Amino acid sequence: MQFQISDELIEKIRFLIESKDEEELLLHLEDVHHADIAEILTELDLEEATYLVKVLDSQKTAEALMELDTDVRERILETLSSKEIAEELQEMDTDDAADIISELPLERQQNVIDEISDEEHADHIVELLRYDEDSAGGLMAKELVKVNENWSVTGCMTEMRKQAENVTRVHSIYVVDNKDKLKGRLSLKDLLTASSNANISDIYIPQVDYVSVHTEGEEVARVMQKYDLEAIPVVDEMGRLVGRVTIDDIVDFIREEAERDYQMAAGISEDVVADSNIFKQTRARLPWLLIGMFGGLGAASIISGFSSMMELFPKLLIFVPLIQATAGNVGVQSSAIVVQGLANGSLRGHIWGRLAKEASLALVNGISIAIIVFIISSYFFSTSYTESVSIGIALISVILLAALIGTFIPIILDKNNIDPAVATGPFITTSNDVFGILTYFLIAKAVLGF
Amino acid sequence: MQFQISDELIEKIRFLIESKDEEELLLHLEDVHHADIAEILTELDLEEATYLVKVLDSQKTAEALMELDTDVRERILETLSSKEIAEELQEMDTDDAADIISELPLERQQNVIDEISDEEHADHIVELLRYDEDSAGGLMAKELVKVNENWSVTGCMTEMRKQAENVTRVHSIYVVDNKDKLKGRLSLKDLLTASSNANISDIYIPQVDYVSVHTEGEEVARVMQKYDLEAIPVVDEMGRLVGRVTIDDIVDFIREEAERDYQMAAGISEDVVADSNIFKQTRARLPWLLIGMFGGLGAASIISGFSSMMELFPKLLIFVPLIQATAGNVGVQSSAIVVQGLANGSLRGHIWGRLAKEASLALVNGISIAIIVFIISSYFFSTSYTESVSIGIALISVILLAALIGTFIPIILDKNNIDPAVATGPFITTSNDVFGILTYFLIAKAVLGF
């Protein structure tokens, strides 16, 4: 049922672009959804894409531009004049337009804004640019339907139809007082069934969820999800209605947050996609590899420090990778559970209870693994009884320690208002590697007495 | 602005429950949102929570029950009679009611369905139970507003108002023919401005996105996100309109998917939360630790197999943790990028191009790390020149290999329709540990010739 972008279609479009057959191009792409236009733009090379953007109606390309990956969009915008960009922005909702402008180089931003012919639209965009992009102010759009509490139902209907022209989806009608302060909301059902000489103040619902322009995006997402809202009004410091955040922006926000956390856990520190260039990818990845490298060198120093053991009990050395892998895996598991619990609010207070639980869990897993390794090392690697005992005890201790570090670090970071997600992945793995190996050698020393 | 659940409020509610003061309880919780009632229920113990559910209006508790964690809800439902559960379900949308019923033990499901007094509602629920819960059929609700293409605008308005009573949010009005086949949709704006003796067939929009009952949830989420839809109609095998999926269910779906992928990458195989019991957590975590353990034992065999090196070049052994950590980190980074690219569709075809890119990236990172380690090992660990060379070459090779394994495995899995997310985390780390250490020793053997 969905529109499919075939290689033939792309070839056809390429051909039409090359032969500059504008008419045929417009005909071909008339009924194509802007999200599909975006996919087509991604498949074309830069020159072709720019040509297509210029040929197509800016109403369609404006929405398609919004769907593009930042990299592709940036390259296309570079080839457009300030006036051409302004025409695209004119067709966008204010929140999208502000997002696009903020991606432009500073000196171009002003030129583009100057070229926007609708002064109110330009004003709104400038206002939105002031807010942090991860705050409700940065996420909101200025487009909404609002009515004054003192209006009559009849007057309201006329005004509403006018406002609705500029709003893609109405969601809710907000009620404000003469000073623009948010008073409540109105259901479309009530409005349709109310007698036409009633006043808005008689029929509106005085309860409405709202957020402030400074509320963090994460909190906006939480509130909208918790209360199943499809739009939430945003008020300024004076309680005046200044915009609204809609659920589609929040869906994007949630997805981006999830992707960021996932990348963070994998040791990738910048927002990179498979297509990002090598320089950007190196910048995102190398720092974490260096942390791992210093951890590995730390482990090397520890092993050197126990050189007497290397001579007396060389067999113990072959289990270092086992100790290290186990410490890393346990740490990642524990930290992932805690980070996720902190993110979705399912983890409440009780830090000591949490640690006690992780500790018992670690004991269960630790003892199971220690028993298996005890048997396998004795039989297949012919370790002596005391050597096997020391490996077993070390495994249990290392798992316990790794679980506690994995639990403790994200909680501590969160309490200090640092995103606990940074603690997952290479960070936890590396510290657990080092502590794990140190613990292993210390226990071996204690048990075997060298 | 948001309602805050304080310890005092919980204490107050506890007290009112203990003194069985129904009137005061109802008064206290009258204006409280169902999502907040859910939080209060979580804070109470089972007996208190059950009492509260019985006292409150089932309209409110039905929605609160939907918000609860599965574990808590299960325990509360166990204490309710089939008739009491049926009353709650009566108040829910069909999709929510079907979700709840599917959580009940099989023998109870029939009893509860028999107790639902609204026969149509019961029929709808039974229909939804037939579908896989991750398909469009399992995600959809039966509640929607539909009109027949042959109706007049006037008749349509009356019918629409009647239907809208049962629908929380209208989103779209769907147009069907006499056989209930989906024909298109109607915008509220067009309906309000059309002349009252027009027919629906004159004004409806014949283009509408839809999915089939068998479409996978992931695909529904992709389509709704791509086209920014807030609801999408679902048709059966005959093209008949049978339900619709709304964006709030998709938001939950996206979040759950993201959490599952995140846990998978951390080596947690079942859907566990911080509060899950130890047995469940062990079942979810121990298998991955065992994979890691066997990897560690594999590494131990490899090291044993190179015992001549252990005697001749004992210094090389102290760098095993460094090799292992680097191989693991590189593998996780590469696989995360690929898994994410596959999930959001940003990674298209071109498997060889992808591998070439990862390879060049690995070379950049590998050479950087090799140089640093070459210097540090020579100066601080007094390795000989050839030893340092062999460590450096090994690092570059291991990073290259790890990147290729990390890229290749998810792509292969995806091509064979296995969720590539299983390849991340411990799975990649473990195979890279083993291959990495093997490569290290083979290169050392070749360079140092023992």
Side-chain angles (χ1 to χ4, degrees):
Chain A
M1 49 112 335
Q2 246 75 45
F3 173 80
Q4 285 294 338
I5 295 172
S6 61
D7 287 348
E8 291 83 59
L9 179 69
I10 298 290
E11 275 320 302
K12 178 86 190 166
I13 290 171
R14 281 219 155 100
F15 174 77
L16 292 173
I17 290 174
E18 210 179 335
S19 48
K20 302 210 180 298
D21 190 344
E22 295 196 11
E23 214 169 304
E24 195 65 18
L25 262 179
L26 286 173
L27 203 69
H28 252 79
L29 296 172
E30 190 179 23
D31 288 332
V32 178
H33 191 279
H34 58 80
D36 294 311
I37 298 277
E39 285 197 2
I40 293 172
L41 288 173
T42 311
E43 294 289 323
L44 299 175
D45 63 37
L46 182 59
E47 250 175 86
E48 294 167 337
T50 315
Y51 179 79
L52 195 58
V53 169
K54 289 185 182 176
V55 167
L56 292 177
D57 184 6
S58 55
Q59 198 175 350
K60 188 166 255 167
T61 50
E63 304 223 47
L65 283 174
M66 275 315 297
E67 304 279 337
L68 289 177
D69 277 347
T70 326
D71 292 8
V72 183
R73 179 166 57 229
E74 237 167 56
R75 268 178 280 145
I76 293 180
L77 290 183
E78 265 170 32
T79 67
L80 297 180
S81 70
S82 297
K83 194 173 164 58
E84 282 164 335
I85 297 179
E87 275 164 20
E88 302 286 344
L89 298 185
Q90 192 83 38
E91 297 296 333
M92 293 181 188
D93 281 351
T94 44
D95 56 338
D96 294 337
D99 286 348
I100 299 264
I101 287 199
S102 64
E103 288 171 10
L104 295 175
L106 269 180
E107 64 277 18
R108 268 203 107 178
Q109 295 191 358
Q110 196 52 54
N111 295 341
V112 171
I113 291 169
D114 290 343
E115 293 282 357
I116 298 176
S117 52
D118 178 342
E119 214 163 298
E120 197 190 354
H121 198 64
D123 267 359
H124 283 163
I125 294 171
V126 171
E127 182 193 335
L128 293 181
L129 283 174
R130 283 206 306 263
Y131 302 110
D132 180 274
E133 61 170 336
D134 279 342
S135 70
L139 288 166
M140 75 184 183
K142 298 295 294 180
E143 287 82 3
L144 52 77
V145 178
K146 65 177 178 188
V147 298
N148 189 303
E149 58 175 342
N150 300 316
W151 291 351
S152 70
V153 168
T154 326
C156 177
M157 289 297 283
T158 326
E159 179 62 26
M160 242 185 60
R161 271 191 206 140
K162 218 167 66 192
Q163 291 183 21
E165 292 279 301
N166 294 317
V167 180
T168 324
R169 288 180 189 118
V170 176
H171 290 294
S172 268
I173 304 154
Y174 302 115
V175 179
V176 294
D177 67 9
N178 287 333
K179 288 182 174 155
D180 237 14
K181 283 197 183 161
L182 180 66
K183 301 292 283 186
R185 67 195 160 86
L186 203 56
S187 90
L188 201 59
K189 208 150 94 186
D190 292 338
L191 194 61
L192 290 174
T193 52
S195 101
S196 52
N197 49 19
N199 262 0
I200 298 299
S201 54
D202 305 326
I203 58 167
Y204 83 85
I205 306 154
Q207 275 179 318
V208 59
D209 287 304
Y210 60 89
V211 289
S212 129
V213 283
H214 303 300
T215 308
E216 278 179 36
E218 216 167 304
E219 173 69 8
V220 180
R222 200 190 60 77
V223 172
M224 290 185 76
Q225 279 187 74
K226 176 170 173 186
Y227 295 111
D228 267 349
L229 306 175
E230 302 191 330
I232 193 164
V234 183
V235 299
D236 68 6
E237 294 84 348
M238 307 286 288
R240 285 178 300 222
L241 178 63
V242 288
R244 66 160 184 176
V245 178
T246 48
I247 188 79
D248 52 322
D249 295 319
I250 287 298
V251 170
D252 292 343
F253 185 84
I254 292 171
R255 215 194 41 217
E256 281 165 22
E257 279 276 294
E259 289 188 354
R260 201 151 44 202
D261 283 357
Y262 187 84
Q263 293 202 336
M264 197 97 87
I268 301 166
S269 56
E270 266 184 83
D271 180 29
V272 291
V273 291
D275 285 344
S276 300
N277 66 44
I278 289 196
F279 176 67
K280 200 170 169 192
Q281 295 234 24
T282 305
R283 216 172 46 195
R285 298 198 204 180
L286 190 54
W288 293 100
L289 296 181
L290 291 177
I291 292 180
M293 183 198 76
F294 283 111
L297 290 171
S301 322
I302 293 172
I303 303 181
S304 306
F306 286 89
S307 53
S308 54
M309 177 176 120
M310 288 174 72
E311 281 155 32
L312 293 167
F313 304 97
K315 258 187 198 145
L316 287 187
L317 270 185
I318 68 173
F319 295 102
V320 166
L322 170 66
I323 297 288
Q324 184 180 350
T326 309
N329 287 342
V330 169
V332 169
Q333 287 183 338
S334 302
S335 63
I337 290 278
V338 173
V339 167
Q340 217 163 46
L342 289 169
N344 64 24
S346 74
L347 193 77
R348 292 194 195 82
H350 328 309
I351 173 163
W352 296 113
R354 179 85 230 123
L355 286 173
K357 187 165 186 184
E358 273 299 319
S360 10
L361 190 57
L363 276 180
V364 173
N365 288 336
I367 292 172
S368 319
I369 289 177
I371 291 173
I372 301 175
V373 170
F374 182 89
I375 295 170
I376 294 182
S377 65
S378 311
Y379 277 81
F380 293 91
F381 296 93
S382 332
T383 49
S384 71
Y385 176 75
T386 38
E387 280 175 332
S388 299
V389 166
S390 113
I391 295 169
I393 296 179
L395 270 171
I396 297 175
S397 322
V398 164
I399 289 177
L400 198 57
L401 183 72
L404 294 182
I405 294 179
T407 307
F408 215 64
I409 291 184
I411 293 182
I412 297 296
L413 289 181
D414 186 61
K415 284 221 188 292
N416 290 293
N417 289 320
I418 302 170
D419 182 357
V422 302
T424 52
F427 191 76
I428 282 287
T429 322
T430 303
S431 46
N432 279 345
D433 281 1
V434 176
F435 281 116
I437 291 172
L438 183 62
T439 309
Y440 177 53
F441 281 82
L442 288 174
I443 285 174
K445 197 181 163 90
V447 173
L448 301 165
F450 51 86
Chain B
M1 50 114 334
Q2 246 74 46
F3 173 81
Q4 286 293 341
I5 294 172
S6 61
D7 287 348
E8 292 82 60
L9 177 70
I10 298 290
E11 276 317 303
K12 177 87 191 167
I13 289 171
R14 282 221 155 99
F15 173 77
L16 292 173
I17 290 174
E18 211 181 336
S19 47
K20 302 209 181 298
D21 192 343
E22 296 196 11
E23 214 168 304
E24 194 66 19
L25 262 180
L26 286 174
L27 203 69
H28 252 80
L29 297 173
E30 191 178 24
D31 289 332
V32 178
H33 191 280
H34 58 80
D36 294 311
I37 298 277
E39 284 196 2
I40 293 172
L41 288 173
T42 311
E43 294 289 324
L44 299 175
D45 62 37
L46 181 58
E47 250 175 85
E48 294 167 339
T50 316
Y51 178 81
L52 194 57
V53 169
K54 289 184 183 179
V55 167
L56 292 177
D57 186 6
S58 52
Q59 200 178 349
K60 186 166 255 167
T61 51
E63 304 223 47
L65 283 174
M66 276 315 298
E67 304 280 336
L68 288 177
D69 277 347
T70 325
D71 292 8
V72 182
R73 178 165 60 226
E74 237 168 54
R75 269 177 281 144
I76 293 180
L77 289 182
E78 266 171 31
T79 66
L80 297 181
S81 70
S82 298
K83 195 176 162 57
E84 282 164 336
I85 297 179
E87 277 165 17
E88 302 286 344
L89 298 186
Q90 193 83 41
E91 299 295 336
M92 291 180 190
D93 281 350
T94 44
D95 56 337
D96 294 338
D99 287 347
I100 300 263
I101 287 198
S102 64
E103 287 171 9
L104 295 175
L106 269 180
E107 64 276 18
R108 267 203 108 179
Q109 295 192 359
Q110 195 53 53
N111 294 341
V112 170
I113 291 169
D114 291 342
E115 293 282 358
I116 298 176
S117 51
D118 178 344
E119 215 162 297
E120 198 190 354
H121 199 64
D123 267 358
H124 284 162
I125 295 170
V126 170
E127 183 193 333
L128 293 181
L129 284 174
R130 284 207 305 264
Y131 301 110
D132 181 274
E133 62 169 334
D134 279 342
S135 71
L139 288 166
M140 74 183 185
K142 299 294 294 178
E143 287 82 3
L144 50 78
V145 178
K146 65 177 176 190
V147 297
N148 189 302
E149 57 174 343
N150 301 315
W151 290 351
S152 70
V153 168
T154 326
C156 177
M157 288 297 283
T158 326
E159 179 63 24
M160 246 185 58
R161 268 190 207 141
K162 219 167 65 189
Q163 290 183 23
E165 291 278 300
N166 293 315
V167 180
T168 324
R169 286 179 191 119
V170 175
H171 291 294
S172 267
I173 304 155
Y174 302 115
V175 179
V176 293
D177 68 9
N178 286 332
K179 286 181 174 158
D180 237 12
K181 282 195 183 161
L182 181 66
K183 302 292 282 185
R185 68 195 161 84
L186 204 57
S187 89
L188 203 58
K189 207 150 95 185
D190 293 336
L191 194 62
L192 290 174
T193 51
S195 103
S196 52
N197 50 20
N199 263 0
I200 297 299
S201 53
D202 306 325
I203 59 169
Y204 82 84
I205 306 154
Q207 277 180 317
V208 58
D209 286 305
Y210 60 89
V211 288
S212 129
V213 284
H214 303 300
T215 308
E216 277 179 38
E218 216 165 306
E219 173 67 8
V220 180
R222 200 191 58 78
V223 172
M224 290 185 75
Q225 280 186 75
K226 177 170 173 188
Y227 296 110
D228 266 349
L229 306 174
E230 301 192 329
I232 193 165
V234 183
V235 301
D236 68 6
E237 295 84 348
M238 309 285 290
R240 284 178 302 223
L241 177 64
V242 289
R244 66 161 185 177
V245 178
T246 48
I247 189 78
D248 53 321
D249 295 318
I250 288 298
V251 171
D252 292 343
F253 186 84
I254 293 170
R255 215 194 38 216
E256 281 166 22
E257 279 277 295
E259 291 189 353
R260 201 150 45 199
D261 284 356
Y262 187 84
Q263 292 203 340
M264 198 97 86
I268 301 167
S269 56
E270 267 184 82
D271 179 30
V272 291
V273 292
D275 284 346
S276 302
N277 67 45
I278 289 194
F279 176 68
K280 200 171 167 190
Q281 295 235 26
T282 305
R283 217 171 46 193
R285 297 199 205 180
L286 189 54
W288 294 100
L289 296 181
L290 291 177
I291 291 179
M293 183 197 77
F294 283 111
L297 291 171
S301 320
I302 293 172
I303 303 179
S304 305
F306 287 86
S307 53
S308 55
M309 176 174 118
M310 288 174 68
E311 280 155 33
L312 292 167
F313 304 98
K315 254 182 202 151
L316 288 188
L317 270 184
I318 67 172
F319 294 102
V320 167
L322 169 65
I323 298 287
Q324 183 180 351
T326 309
N329 286 342
V330 169
V332 168
Q333 286 182 338
S334 301
S335 63
I337 290 279
V338 173
V339 167
Q340 217 162 47
L342 288 169
N344 64 23
S346 74
L347 193 75
R348 291 192 195 85
H350 329 309
I351 172 162
W352 296 112
R354 179 85 230 122
L355 285 172
K357 185 162 188 185
E358 272 300 320
S360 12
L361 191 56
L363 276 180
V364 173
N365 287 336
I367 292 171
S368 320
I369 290 178
I371 292 173
I372 301 176
V373 170
F374 182 90
I375 296 169
I376 294 184
S377 65
S378 312
Y379 279 80
F380 293 91
F381 296 94
S382 332
T383 49
S384 71
Y385 176 73
T386 40
E387 280 174 333
S388 299
V389 166
S390 113
I391 296 170
I393 296 178
L395 269 172
I396 297 174
S397 321
V398 163
I399 289 176
L400 197 58
L401 183 73
L404 294 181
I405 294 179
T407 307
F408 216 63
I409 293 185
I411 293 181
I412 298 294
L413 289 181
D414 186 60
K415 284 222 188 291
N416 290 292
N417 290 318
I418 302 170
D419 182 357
V422 303
T424 50
F427 191 76
I428 282 287
T429 323
T430 302
S431 46
N432 280 345
D433 280 2
V434 176
F435 282 114
I437 290 172
L438 182 60
T439 309
Y440 177 54
F441 280 83
L442 287 174
I443 286 174
K445 196 182 164 87
V447 173
L448 300 166
F450 48 87

